[in-house]
Amino acid sequence: MRNLAYKVIVVTILAIVLAAGWLSVDYLSFLRTPLSISTDKYIMDVPQGGNLGRLARKLFKEGIISSRRYLVWYAYLTGNANNIKMGEYELTKDMTPMTLMAMLNQGKVIQYSFTIVDGWTFKQMIAALKTHPQIRNTVLDKTPDEIMRSLGLADMHPEGRFLPDTYFFPNNTTDIEFLKRAYKAMDKLLSSAWPQRKLGLAVKTPYQALILASIVEKETALASERKEIAGVFNRRLLRHIRLQTDPTVIYGLGEKFDGNLRRRDLIADTPYNTYRHYGLPPTPIALPGKESIEAVLHPGEGDKLYFVSRGDGSHYFSSNLKEHNEAVIKYQLKGRRKKFSSSGAK
């Protein structure tokens, strides 16, 4: 009987050792075997408070992994079972359960993008954000004042306050999260750039610089002209000459502007009509980009006080009214001479 019992014990131990060995080999093979994905990629959504067991069952049921238990064991053995970040993940054929768990623990979610275009108005930015499928709308249908209050920026005019750039973010990012980020980016840029400004500028505060930068942004799309245009406006402000720039007039007209700027529009009495009022308008007229802000803080040197569009996107710059009026006749009136008087920048 003793021999029989001994044999049973030995056989049992051997069976356990063999089973443990097989289990160990199978477990390690599982960890190193690529995920079973039939397409080039597989999008997996992990909700907030995502449960590891539930996630493992889903992946096993869909044939992505060969064992849900092994995945759970690995997560607990590495101490990362409760460290799964929510969000969308892109699984690829070359990934293994080990790299999958590393991605879940590090929160390497799919990033989407949205670009705030240089020169957009606040209204245009909001309209574009509404169409982005990965940004969750919570305040975009409200008035500009209500949106700013939601951002904790009550009584602040929204125009110009959000930095044009390309931003990356995970799915289901709220509009408030996005707008706060763009606002902070603009605030940080102004805070760092203002102390480095050229001395003797007409603008005396970062907000005045933002206003002037928005005008420069709307006046030209040519990077090579920004500093020269900023220089013209800086000199006009210093000499107490009205800016007389069309984009401010158009902004002041709002919905009344039909795409055709008329003489009567140039005398319309709005706070933004720089043909009638001296100095800067009360707020920015668009969202200026980094280059326009840089141009305003470091404007071009020279004596030019006027510029007129050549009709090809570029401008002709003049230092006196006579030269400017000649340029207007040449480029805007196409050489047709007639009685003409102008003191504008355009």
Side-chain angles (χ1 to χ4, degrees):
M1 289 295 293
R2 287 184 179 180
N3 288 337
L4 180 59
Y6 176 77
K7 290 179 181 179
V8 170
I9 292 172
V10 171
V11 171
T12 301
I13 292 174
L14 287 174
I16 292 173
V17 170
L18 289 173
W22 175 86
L23 188 63
S24 176
V25 170
D26 194 48
Y27 172 69
L28 292 174
S29 175
F30 165 80
L31 294 179
R32 296 165 181 168
T33 300
L35 304 178
S36 180
I37 299 175
S38 57
T39 57
D40 290 336
K41 60 184 179 180
Y42 173 89
I43 306 301
M44 178 180 68
D45 186 24
V46 178
Q48 188 164 5
N51 178 275
L52 174 61
R54 190 180 304 119
L55 177 62
R57 284 193 296 273
K58 175 181 173 61
L59 292 174
F60 176 71
K61 183 178 180 181
E62 297 188 13
I64 305 298
I65 58 175
S66 59
S67 172
R68 61 185 178 86
R69 290 187 179 87
Y70 285 168
L71 186 67
V72 173
W73 289 357
Y74 177 73
Y76 276 103
L77 287 170
T78 55
N80 290 313
N82 298 313
N83 190 32
I84 296 176
K85 309 295 192 303
M86 65 170 291
E88 279 186 325
Y89 294 86
E90 181 180 305
L91 311 189
T92 57
K93 292 180 178 181
D94 60 338
M95 293 178 65
T96 66
M98 295 175 70
T99 54
L100 166 63
M101 285 306 304
M103 183 173 65
L104 293 171
N105 298 149
Q106 295 167 16
K108 292 184 177 180
V109 298
I110 298 173
Q111 294 288 309
Y112 296 91
S113 67
F114 180 84
T115 299
I116 300 178
V117 178
D118 296 20
W120 266 0
T121 62
F122 178 77
K123 181 179 179 181
Q124 288 174 313
M125 178 187 69
I126 293 299
L129 280 172
K130 285 182 182 180
T131 67
H132 199 293
Q134 277 73 43
I135 292 180
R136 181 154 50 92
N137 181 350
T138 66
V139 298
L140 297 178
D141 293 321
K142 296 183 177 181
T143 67
D145 287 344
E146 289 172 333
I147 292 174
M148 295 303 281
R149 278 199 296 273
S150 299
L151 298 175
L153 303 170
D155 301 322
M156 181 181 288
H157 195 280
E159 199 66 80
R161 295 288 190 172
F162 304 88
L163 183 66
D165 204 348
T166 297
Y167 297 87
F168 295 89
F169 48 86
N171 185 36
N172 209 35
T173 293
T174 67
D175 44 15
I176 290 179
E177 291 171 324
F178 179 88
L179 289 172
K180 281 185 176 180
R181 184 177 169 193
Y183 170 81
K184 289 178 180 178
M186 177 63 85
D187 189 56
K188 181 179 179 181
L189 174 63
L190 280 175
S191 297
S192 62
W194 178 252
Q196 309 302 321
R197 70 191 182 281
K198 182 180 179 181
L199 297 179
L201 297 180
V203 293
K204 302 306 180 185
T205 67
Y207 190 57
Q208 287 183 353
L210 190 65
I211 294 173
L212 188 55
S214 73
I215 299 174
V216 171
E217 188 68 62
K218 297 300 288 186
E219 279 288 7
T220 184
L222 297 179
S224 59
E225 287 191 346
R226 287 194 183 100
K227 289 197 173 187
E228 191 162 9
I229 285 179
V232 169
F233 287 140
N234 184 61
R235 286 185 285 277
R236 290 177 75 92
L237 289 170
L238 288 172
R239 300 184 189 189
H240 200 57
I241 303 173
R242 284 182 295 239
L243 293 182
Q244 296 182 313
T245 171
D246 293 353
T248 62
V249 177
I250 293 169
Y251 188 83
L253 292 173
E255 298 297 332
K256 295 179 182 178
F257 181 63
D258 61 3
N260 184 23
L261 194 64
R262 301 173 177 83
R263 184 172 293 276
R264 67 171 181 266
D265 297 326
L266 301 182
I267 61 174
D269 191 10
T270 77
Y272 294 89
N273 190 338
T274 53
Y275 282 86
R276 293 195 57 159
H277 301 290
Y278 287 90
L280 294 166
T283 73
I285 61 170
L287 307 175
K290 299 174 185 177
E291 291 78 10
S292 292
I293 293 173
E294 172 68 16
V296 164
L297 297 180
H298 302 275
E301 300 284 351
D303 61 353
K304 300 297 189 290
L305 290 171
Y306 309 88
F307 58 87
V308 63
S309 173
R310 286 192 174 104
D312 60 358
S314 67
H315 295 82
Y316 181 87
F317 295 83
S318 307
S319 56
N320 59 71
L321 184 57
K322 181 178 182 297
E323 183 185 2
H324 173 65
N325 285 340
E326 291 294 326
V328 171
I329 292 171
K330 178 178 180 180
Y331 294 110
Q332 291 196 344
L333 301 179
K334 306 303 181 185
R336 291 183 286 112
R337 287 188 171 273
K338 65 177 183 177
K339 186 177 179 180
F340 183 82
S341 176
S342 170
S343 58
K346 294 291 284 182

